Amino acid sequence: TVEVLDCFEGDASQVVIEALKSEKRPKLREILVGGTAVVVYTNKTITADFLAAYLSEMKIAAISLTDERNEHEREAAILRCW
């Protein structure tokens, strides 16, 4: 499942998109082409880190917010992206 949280001027909406494993990256690229800020949830830390690196290589701003970062680090990272 790819979950998209679209934030605009304080308003938020959530869209859940079902995708097979092989469809996830193409679907995510399709969503990100529009320049929309999104939050992607993963089941594993390594998946979040890999995805953030993959998106960064594509010149798409991305951060991995996992439980390995403390709350202050996560909040600071979010402020840098938005």
Side-chain angles (χ1 to χ4, degrees):
T1 301
V2 177
E3 296 186 29
V4 179
L5 181 62
D6 182 6
C7 298
F8 180 72
E9 295 184 15
D11 295 331
S13 64
Q14 183 173 355
V15 177
V16 178
I17 300 169
E18 297 284 336
L20 297 173
K21 185 174 182 176
S22 62
E23 298 171 335
K24 288 183 179 183
R25 282 193 195 171
K27 179 56 75 176
L28 186 58
R29 280 193 302 266
E30 177 184 320
I31 293 166
L32 294 174
V33 167
T36 302
V38 298
V39 176
V40 178
Y41 295 93
T42 65
N43 292 330
K44 298 179 181 176
T45 298
I46 192 165
T47 304
D49 292 340
F50 181 78
L51 183 58
Y54 171 74
L55 294 173
S56 293
E57 288 175 6
M58 293 177 51
K59 307 297 185 218
I60 297 172
I63 54 173
S64 172
L65 302 175
T66 66
D67 61 355
E68 294 177 3
R69 295 184 187 216
N70 65 45
E71 183 177 347
H72 176 61
E73 291 174 318
R74 291 191 301 262
E75 289 174 0
I78 290 171
L79 290 174
R80 283 194 309 270
C81 284
W82 273 274

